[in-house]
PDB file of all heavy atoms in Angstrom:
ATOM      1  N   ALA H  46     -48.223  66.846 -45.489  1.00  0.00           N
ATOM      2  CA  ALA H  46     -47.597  66.092 -44.399  1.00  0.00           C
ATOM      3  C   ALA H  46     -47.903  66.787 -43.071  1.00  0.00           C
ATOM      4  O   ALA H  46     -47.811  66.171 -42.011  1.00  0.00           O
ATOM      5  CB  ALA H  46     -46.095  65.973 -44.612  1.00  0.00           C
ATOM      6  N   ALA H  47     -48.264  68.080 -43.130  1.00  0.00           N
ATOM      7  CA  ALA H  47     -48.642  68.796 -41.905  1.00  0.00           C
ATOM      8  C   ALA H  47     -50.061  68.416 -41.528  1.00  0.00           C
ATOM      9  O   ALA H  47     -50.353  68.091 -40.375  1.00  0.00           O
ATOM     10  CB  ALA H  47     -48.535  70.303 -42.108  1.00  0.00           C
ATOM     11  N   SER H 106     -56.196  60.422 -28.927  1.00  0.00           N
ATOM     12  CA  SER H 106     -56.470  61.779 -29.420  1.00  0.00           C
ATOM     13  C   SER H 106     -55.540  62.165 -30.565  1.00  0.00           C
ATOM     14  O   SER H 106     -55.534  63.311 -30.995  1.00  0.00           O
ATOM     15  CB  SER H 106     -56.288  62.775 -28.275  1.00  0.00           C
ATOM     16  OG  SER H 106     -54.929  62.772 -27.865  1.00  0.00           O
ATOM     17  N   GLY H 107     -54.736  61.240 -31.035  1.00  0.00           N
ATOM     18  CA  GLY H 107     -53.823  61.561 -32.140  1.00  0.00           C
ATOM     19  C   GLY H 107     -52.495  60.862 -31.920  1.00  0.00           C
ATOM     20  O   GLY H 107     -52.299  60.165 -30.909  1.00  0.00           O
ATOM     21  N   ALA H 108     -51.588  61.063 -32.852  1.00  0.00           N
ATOM     22  CA  ALA H 108     -50.330  60.315 -32.770  1.00  0.00           C
ATOM     23  C   ALA H 108     -49.430  60.806 -31.642  1.00  0.00           C
ATOM     24  O   ALA H 108     -48.609  60.045 -31.135  1.00  0.00           O
ATOM     25  CB  ALA H 108     -49.593  60.373 -34.092  1.00  0.00           C
ATOM     26  N   THR H 109     -49.571  62.055 -31.234  1.00  0.00           N
ATOM     27  CA  THR H 109     -48.755  62.524 -30.106  1.00  0.00           C
ATOM     28  C   THR H 109     -49.087  61.674 -28.880  1.00  0.00           C
ATOM     29  O   THR H 109     -48.194  61.184 -28.176  1.00  0.00           O
ATOM     30  CB  THR H 109     -48.994  64.020 -29.833  1.00  0.00           C
ATOM     31  OG1 THR H 109     -48.559  64.743 -30.995  1.00  0.00           O
ATOM     32  CG2 THR H 109     -48.242  64.519 -28.610  1.00  0.00           C
ATOM     33  N   GLU H 110     -50.369  61.461 -28.649  1.00  0.00           N
ATOM     34  CA  GLU H 110     -50.766  60.612 -27.516  1.00  0.00           C
ATOM     35  C   GLU H 110     -50.359  59.158 -27.752  1.00  0.00           C
ATOM     36  O   GLU H 110     -49.847  58.498 -26.835  1.00  0.00           O
ATOM     37  CB  GLU H 110     -52.278  60.710 -27.275  1.00  0.00           C
ATOM     38  CG  GLU H 110     -52.673  59.897 -26.052  1.00  0.00           C
ATOM     39  CD  GLU H 110     -54.187  59.771 -25.853  1.00  0.00           C
ATOM     40  OE1 GLU H 110     -54.954  60.605 -26.364  1.00  0.00           O
ATOM     41  OE2 GLU H 110     -54.581  58.792 -25.194  1.00  0.00           O
ATOM     42  N   ASN H 112     -47.895  57.969 -29.451  1.00  0.00           N
ATOM     43  CA  ASN H 112     -46.450  57.819 -29.259  1.00  0.00           C
ATOM     44  C   ASN H 112     -46.078  57.909 -27.778  1.00  0.00           C
ATOM     45  O   ASN H 112     -45.258  57.136 -27.276  1.00  0.00           O
ATOM     46  CB  ASN H 112     -45.687  58.881 -30.053  1.00  0.00           C
ATOM     47  CG  ASN H 112     -45.654  58.557 -31.544  1.00  0.00           C
ATOM     48  OD1 ASN H 112     -45.812  57.402 -31.942  1.00  0.00           O
ATOM     49  ND2 ASN H 112     -45.453  59.567 -32.379  1.00  0.00           N
ATOM     50  N   GLU H 136     -36.600  60.925 -35.076  1.00  0.00           N
ATOM     51  CA  GLU H 136     -38.016  60.754 -34.719  1.00  0.00           C
ATOM     52  C   GLU H 136     -38.720  62.099 -34.561  1.00  0.00           C
ATOM     53  O   GLU H 136     -38.087  63.136 -34.314  1.00  0.00           O
ATOM     54  CB  GLU H 136     -38.129  60.000 -33.375  1.00  0.00           C
ATOM     55  CG  GLU H 136     -37.684  58.566 -33.387  1.00  0.00           C
ATOM     56  CD  GLU H 136     -38.586  57.664 -34.217  1.00  0.00           C
ATOM     57  OE1 GLU H 136     -39.790  57.628 -33.993  1.00  0.00           O
ATOM     58  OE2 GLU H 136     -38.045  56.966 -35.103  1.00  0.00           O
ATOM     59  N   HIS H 137     -40.035  62.040 -34.584  1.00  0.00           N
ATOM     60  CA  HIS H 137     -40.874  63.205 -34.290  1.00  0.00           C
ATOM     61  C   HIS H 137     -40.722  63.557 -32.803  1.00  0.00           C
ATOM     62  O   HIS H 137     -40.436  62.684 -31.970  1.00  0.00           O
ATOM     63  CB  HIS H 137     -42.330  62.835 -34.593  1.00  0.00           C
ATOM     64  CG  HIS H 137     -43.285  63.961 -34.446  1.00  0.00           C
ATOM     65  ND1 HIS H 137     -44.033  64.173 -33.311  1.00  0.00           N
ATOM     66  CD2 HIS H 137     -43.632  64.949 -35.312  1.00  0.00           C
ATOM     67  CE1 HIS H 137     -44.806  65.229 -33.491  1.00  0.00           C
ATOM     68  NE2 HIS H 137     -44.579  65.727 -34.688  1.00  0.00           N
ATOM     69  N   ALA H 138     -40.958  64.833 -32.477  1.00  0.00           N
ATOM     70  CA  ALA H 138     -40.800  65.290 -31.087  1.00  0.00           C
ATOM     71  C   ALA H 138     -41.654  64.488 -30.102  1.00  0.00           C
ATOM     72  O   ALA H 138     -41.267  64.332 -28.934  1.00  0.00           O
ATOM     73  CB  ALA H 138     -41.160  66.773 -31.001  1.00  0.00           C
ATOM     74  N   SER H 139     -42.777  63.968 -30.553  1.00  0.00           N
ATOM     75  CA  SER H 139     -43.646  63.234 -29.617  1.00  0.00           C
ATOM     76  C   SER H 139     -43.028  61.911 -29.178  1.00  0.00           C
ATOM     77  O   SER H 139     -43.430  61.350 -28.157  1.00  0.00           O
ATOM     78  CB  SER H 139     -45.037  63.008 -30.221  1.00  0.00           C
ATOM     79  OG  SER H 139     -44.938  62.391 -31.486  1.00  0.00           O
ATOM     80  N   VAL H 140     -42.036  61.422 -29.906  1.00  0.00           N
ATOM     81  CA  VAL H 140     -41.278  60.243 -29.470  1.00  0.00           C
ATOM     82  C   VAL H 140     -40.038  60.720 -28.704  1.00  0.00           C
ATOM     83  O   VAL H 140     -39.761  60.257 -27.599  1.00  0.00           O
ATOM     84  CB  VAL H 140     -40.865  59.360 -30.671  1.00  0.00           C
ATOM     85  CG1 VAL H 140     -39.874  58.282 -30.255  1.00  0.00           C
ATOM     86  CG2 VAL H 140     -42.103  58.725 -31.300  1.00  0.00           C
ATOM     87  N   MET H 184     -39.187  55.199 -36.636  1.00  0.00           N
ATOM     88  CA  MET H 184     -40.337  55.597 -37.448  1.00  0.00           C
ATOM     89  C   MET H 184     -40.299  54.941 -38.824  1.00  0.00           C
ATOM     90  O   MET H 184     -39.219  54.566 -39.310  1.00  0.00           O
ATOM     91  CB  MET H 184     -40.380  57.125 -37.593  1.00  0.00           C
ATOM     92  CG  MET H 184     -39.275  57.677 -38.442  1.00  0.00           C
ATOM     93  SD  MET H 184     -38.875  59.451 -38.162  1.00  0.00           S
ATOM     94  CE  MET H 184     -40.418  60.242 -37.917  1.00  0.00           C
ATOM     95  N   VAL H 186     -41.758  56.406 -41.881  1.00  0.00           N
ATOM     96  CA  VAL H 186     -41.423  57.443 -42.878  1.00  0.00           C
ATOM     97  C   VAL H 186     -41.132  58.735 -42.130  1.00  0.00           C
ATOM     98  O   VAL H 186     -41.937  59.167 -41.294  1.00  0.00           O
ATOM     99  CB  VAL H 186     -42.601  57.674 -43.854  1.00  0.00           C
ATOM    100  CG1 VAL H 186     -42.288  58.810 -44.826  1.00  0.00           C
ATOM    101  CG2 VAL H 186     -42.929  56.401 -44.619  1.00  0.00           C
ATOM    102  N   ASN H 187     -39.993  59.325 -42.412  1.00  0.00           N
ATOM    103  CA  ASN H 187     -39.667  60.579 -41.741  1.00  0.00           C
ATOM    104  C   ASN H 187     -40.554  61.713 -42.256  1.00  0.00           C
ATOM    105  O   ASN H 187     -40.736  61.874 -43.467  1.00  0.00           O
ATOM    106  CB  ASN H 187     -38.191  60.929 -41.918  1.00  0.00           C
ATOM    107  CG  ASN H 187     -37.843  62.190 -41.161  1.00  0.00           C
ATOM    108  OD1 ASN H 187     -37.890  63.285 -41.714  1.00  0.00           O
ATOM    109  ND2 ASN H 187     -37.564  62.063 -39.882  1.00  0.00           N
ATOM    110  N   ASN H 188     -41.071  62.521 -41.332  1.00  0.00           N
ATOM    111  CA  ASN H 188     -42.017  63.577 -41.711  1.00  0.00           C
ATOM    112  C   ASN H 188     -41.365  64.772 -42.380  1.00  0.00           C
ATOM    113  O   ASN H 188     -42.040  65.569 -43.014  1.00  0.00           O
ATOM    114  CB  ASN H 188     -42.809  64.033 -40.476  1.00  0.00           C
ATOM    115  CG  ASN H 188     -41.936  64.341 -39.294  1.00  0.00           C
ATOM    116  OD1 ASN H 188     -41.149  63.510 -38.863  1.00  0.00           O
ATOM    117  ND2 ASN H 188     -42.043  65.534 -38.775  1.00  0.00           N
ATOM    118  N   ASP H 215     -43.497  54.666 -35.208  1.00  0.00           N
ATOM    119  CA  ASP H 215     -44.376  55.783 -35.547  1.00  0.00           C
ATOM    120  C   ASP H 215     -44.604  55.690 -37.056  1.00  0.00           C
ATOM    121  O   ASP H 215     -43.692  55.914 -37.849  1.00  0.00           O
ATOM    122  CB  ASP H 215     -43.660  57.091 -35.166  1.00  0.00           C
ATOM    123  CG  ASP H 215     -44.415  58.333 -35.622  1.00  0.00           C
ATOM    124  OD1 ASP H 215     -45.270  58.235 -36.511  1.00  0.00           O
ATOM    125  OD2 ASP H 215     -44.121  59.422 -35.077  1.00  0.00           O
ATOM    126  N   ALA H 216     -45.838  55.327 -37.427  1.00  0.00           N
ATOM    127  CA  ALA H 216     -46.136  55.111 -38.857  1.00  0.00           C
ATOM    128  C   ALA H 216     -47.033  56.218 -39.416  1.00  0.00           C
ATOM    129  O   ALA H 216     -47.705  56.023 -40.429  1.00  0.00           O
ATOM    130  CB  ALA H 216     -46.785  53.751 -39.045  1.00  0.00           C
ATOM    131  N   VAL H 217     -47.018  57.382 -38.748  1.00  0.00           N
ATOM    132  CA  VAL H 217     -47.933  58.471 -39.115  1.00  0.00           C
ATOM    133  C   VAL H 217     -47.849  58.850 -40.597  1.00  0.00           C
ATOM    134  O   VAL H 217     -48.863  59.048 -41.253  1.00  0.00           O
ATOM    135  CB  VAL H 217     -47.646  59.704 -38.219  1.00  0.00           C
ATOM    136  CG1 VAL H 217     -48.330  60.947 -38.747  1.00  0.00           C
ATOM    137  CG2 VAL H 217     -48.085  59.413 -36.806  1.00  0.00           C
ATOM    138  N   GLN H 218     -46.631  58.948 -41.130  1.00  0.00           N
ATOM    139  CA  GLN H 218     -46.497  59.408 -42.528  1.00  0.00           C
ATOM    140  C   GLN H 218     -46.494  58.241 -43.514  1.00  0.00           C
ATOM    141  O   GLN H 218     -46.316  58.459 -44.721  1.00  0.00           O
ATOM    142  CB  GLN H 218     -45.221  60.242 -42.696  1.00  0.00           C
ATOM    143  CG  GLN H 218     -45.160  61.499 -41.828  1.00  0.00           C
ATOM    144  CD  GLN H 218     -46.137  62.597 -42.254  1.00  0.00           C
ATOM    145  OE1 GLN H 218     -46.771  62.527 -43.304  1.00  0.00           O
ATOM    146  NE2 GLN H 218     -46.257  63.622 -41.425  1.00  0.00           N
ATOM    147  N   SER H 236     -48.094  53.605 -34.310  1.00  0.00           N
ATOM    148  CA  SER H 236     -49.050  54.704 -34.188  1.00  0.00           C
ATOM    149  C   SER H 236     -49.428  55.285 -35.537  1.00  0.00           C
ATOM    150  O   SER H 236     -48.633  55.270 -36.488  1.00  0.00           O
ATOM    151  CB  SER H 236     -48.462  55.800 -33.296  1.00  0.00           C
ATOM    152  OG  SER H 236     -47.194  56.155 -33.749  1.00  0.00           O
ATOM    153  N   LEU H 237     -50.651  55.812 -35.598  1.00  0.00           N
ATOM    154  CA  LEU H 237     -51.091  56.562 -36.784  1.00  0.00           C
ATOM    155  C   LEU H 237     -51.986  57.706 -36.345  1.00  0.00           C
ATOM    156  O   LEU H 237     -52.502  57.720 -35.228  1.00  0.00           O
ATOM    157  CB  LEU H 237     -51.765  55.652 -37.809  1.00  0.00           C
ATOM    158  CG  LEU H 237     -53.014  54.871 -37.430  1.00  0.00           C
ATOM    159  CD1 LEU H 237     -54.258  55.710 -37.581  1.00  0.00           C
ATOM    160  CD2 LEU H 237     -53.137  53.656 -38.348  1.00  0.00           C
ATOM    161  N   SER H 238     -52.167  58.666 -37.259  1.00  0.00           N
ATOM    162  CA  SER H 238     -52.914  59.879 -36.942  1.00  0.00           C
ATOM    163  C   SER H 238     -53.986  60.139 -37.999  1.00  0.00           C
ATOM    164  O   SER H 238     -53.704  60.050 -39.199  1.00  0.00           O
ATOM    165  CB  SER H 238     -51.928  61.051 -36.904  1.00  0.00           C
ATOM    166  OG  SER H 238     -52.619  62.260 -36.768  1.00  0.00           O
ATOM    167  N   GLY H 239     -55.194  60.503 -37.550  1.00  0.00           N
ATOM    168  CA  GLY H 239     -56.303  60.727 -38.473  1.00  0.00           C
ATOM    169  C   GLY H 239     -56.056  61.828 -39.489  1.00  0.00           C
ATOM    170  O   GLY H 239     -56.295  61.653 -40.687  1.00  0.00           O
ATOM    171  N   HIS H 240     -55.541  62.972 -39.020  1.00  0.00           N
ATOM    172  CA  HIS H 240     -55.504  64.133 -39.922  1.00  0.00           C
ATOM    173  C   HIS H 240     -54.417  64.069 -40.990  1.00  0.00           C
ATOM    174  O   HIS H 240     -54.311  64.964 -41.824  1.00  0.00           O
ATOM    175  CB  HIS H 240     -55.428  65.438 -39.119  1.00  0.00           C
ATOM    176  CG  HIS H 240     -54.140  65.728 -38.436  1.00  0.00           C
ATOM    177  ND1 HIS H 240     -53.324  66.767 -38.828  1.00  0.00           N
ATOM    178  CD2 HIS H 240     -53.526  65.153 -37.375  1.00  0.00           C
ATOM    179  CE1 HIS H 240     -52.273  66.817 -38.027  1.00  0.00           C
ATOM    180  NE2 HIS H 240     -52.370  65.846 -37.136  1.00  0.00           N
ATOM    181  N   LYS H 241     -53.610  63.009 -40.960  1.00  0.00           N
ATOM    182  CA  LYS H 241     -52.640  62.842 -42.045  1.00  0.00           C
ATOM    183  C   LYS H 241     -53.232  61.984 -43.148  1.00  0.00           C
ATOM    184  O   LYS H 241     -52.618  61.807 -44.190  1.00  0.00           O
ATOM    185  CB  LYS H 241     -51.350  62.182 -41.531  1.00  0.00           C
ATOM    186  CG  LYS H 241     -50.786  62.784 -40.266  1.00  0.00           C
ATOM    187  CD  LYS H 241     -50.161  64.139 -40.464  1.00  0.00           C
ATOM    188  CE  LYS H 241     -49.553  64.622 -39.154  1.00  0.00           C
ATOM    189  NZ  LYS H 241     -48.841  65.867 -39.248  1.00  0.00           N
ATOM    190  N   GLY H 247     -57.099  65.460 -34.119  1.00  0.00           N
ATOM    191  CA  GLY H 247     -57.493  65.110 -32.752  1.00  0.00           C
ATOM    192  C   GLY H 247     -58.008  63.692 -32.600  1.00  0.00           C
ATOM    193  O   GLY H 247     -58.709  63.392 -31.640  1.00  0.00           O
ATOM    194  N   VAL H 248     -57.693  62.834 -33.543  1.00  0.00           N
ATOM    195  CA  VAL H 248     -58.020  61.418 -33.389  1.00  0.00           C
ATOM    196  C   VAL H 248     -56.878  60.600 -33.992  1.00  0.00           C
ATOM    197  O   VAL H 248     -56.278  61.006 -34.994  1.00  0.00           O
ATOM    198  CB  VAL H 248     -59.381  61.054 -34.030  1.00  0.00           C
ATOM    199  CG1 VAL H 248     -59.377  61.210 -35.544  1.00  0.00           C
ATOM    200  CG2 VAL H 248     -59.829  59.652 -33.634  1.00  0.00           C
ATOM    201  N   GLY H 249     -56.577  59.506 -33.345  1.00  0.00           N
ATOM    202  CA  GLY H 249     -55.502  58.649 -33.849  1.00  0.00           C
ATOM    203  C   GLY H 249     -55.683  57.251 -33.299  1.00  0.00           C
ATOM    204  O   GLY H 249     -56.690  56.951 -32.628  1.00  0.00           O
ATOM    205  N   SER H 360     -40.694  70.606 -40.433  1.00  0.00           N
ATOM    206  CA  SER H 360     -41.925  70.032 -39.895  1.00  0.00           C
ATOM    207  C   SER H 360     -42.779  71.139 -39.304  1.00  0.00           C
ATOM    208  O   SER H 360     -42.275  72.051 -38.669  1.00  0.00           O
ATOM    209  CB  SER H 360     -41.586  68.972 -38.846  1.00  0.00           C
ATOM    210  OG  SER H 360     -41.936  69.417 -37.573  1.00  0.00           O
ATOM    211  N   ALA H 361     -44.099  71.039 -39.512  1.00  0.00           N
ATOM    212  CA  ALA H 361     -45.014  72.096 -39.092  1.00  0.00           C
ATOM    213  C   ALA H 361     -45.023  72.282 -37.575  1.00  0.00           C
ATOM    214  O   ALA H 361     -45.329  73.354 -37.081  1.00  0.00           O
ATOM    215  CB  ALA H 361     -46.419  71.759 -39.567  1.00  0.00           C
ATOM    216  N   CYS H 362     -44.655  71.225 -36.840  1.00  0.00           N
ATOM    217  CA  CYS H 362     -44.761  71.295 -35.390  1.00  0.00           C
ATOM    218  C   CYS H 362     -43.607  72.081 -34.783  1.00  0.00           C
ATOM    219  O   CYS H 362     -43.591  72.321 -33.592  1.00  0.00           O
ATOM    220  CB  CYS H 362     -44.758  69.889 -34.796  1.00  0.00           C
ATOM    221  SG  CYS H 362     -45.741  68.733 -35.709  1.00  0.00           S
ATOM    222  N   ARG H 386     -40.285  71.914 -47.157  1.00  0.00           N
ATOM    223  CA  ARG H 386     -40.899  70.599 -47.358  1.00  0.00           C
ATOM    224  C   ARG H 386     -42.161  70.771 -48.205  1.00  0.00           C
ATOM    225  O   ARG H 386     -43.041  71.544 -47.869  1.00  0.00           O
ATOM    226  CB  ARG H 386     -41.290  69.985 -46.014  1.00  0.00           C
ATOM    227  CG  ARG H 386     -41.964  68.621 -46.189  1.00  0.00           C
ATOM    228  CD  ARG H 386     -42.458  68.069 -44.877  1.00  0.00           C
ATOM    229  NE  ARG H 386     -43.547  68.857 -44.326  1.00  0.00           N
ATOM    230  CZ  ARG H 386     -44.104  68.611 -43.147  1.00  0.00           C
ATOM    231  NH1 ARG H 386     -43.662  67.640 -42.398  1.00  0.00           N
ATOM    232  NH2 ARG H 386     -45.105  69.361 -42.702  1.00  0.00           N
TER     233      ARG H 386
HETATM  234  N1  LIG I 636     -45.362  61.609 -35.775  1.00  0.00           N
HETATM  235  C1  LIG I 636     -45.125  62.118 -36.990  1.00  0.00           C
HETATM  236  C2  LIG I 636     -44.085  61.461 -37.873  1.00  0.00           C
HETATM  237  C3  LIG I 636     -45.823  63.252 -37.442  1.00  0.00           C
HETATM  238  O1  LIG I 636     -45.567  63.750 -38.654  1.00  0.00           O
HETATM  239  C4  LIG I 636     -46.788  63.841 -36.566  1.00  0.00           C
HETATM  240  C5  LIG I 636     -47.554  65.071 -36.994  1.00  0.00           C
HETATM  241  N2  LIG I 636     -46.754  66.150 -37.355  1.00  0.00           N
HETATM  242  C6  LIG I 636     -47.010  63.261 -35.314  1.00  0.00           C
HETATM  243  C7  LIG I 636     -46.274  62.150 -34.946  1.00  0.00           C
HETATM  244  C8  LIG I 636     -48.006  63.836 -34.348  1.00  0.00           C
HETATM  245  O2  LIG I 636     -49.330  63.551 -34.760  1.00  0.00           O
HETATM  246  P1  LIG I 636     -50.589  64.326 -34.191  1.00  0.00           P
HETATM  247  O3  LIG I 636     -50.643  65.635 -34.894  1.00  0.00           O
HETATM  248  O4  LIG I 636     -51.760  63.443 -34.528  1.00  0.00           O
HETATM  249  O5  LIG I 636     -50.427  64.458 -32.722  1.00  0.00           O
END
Side-chain angles (χ1 to χ4, degrees):
S106 64
T109 297
E110 183 188 338
N112 284 337
E136 293 292 305
H137 185 263
S139 53
V140 170
M184 69 202 321
V186 176
N187 183 267
N188 49 305
D215 173 341
V217 167
Q218 300 290 351
S236 52
L237 60 84
S238 173
H240 72 112
K241 312 288 183 176
V248 66
S360 110
C362 318
R386 179 185 67 184

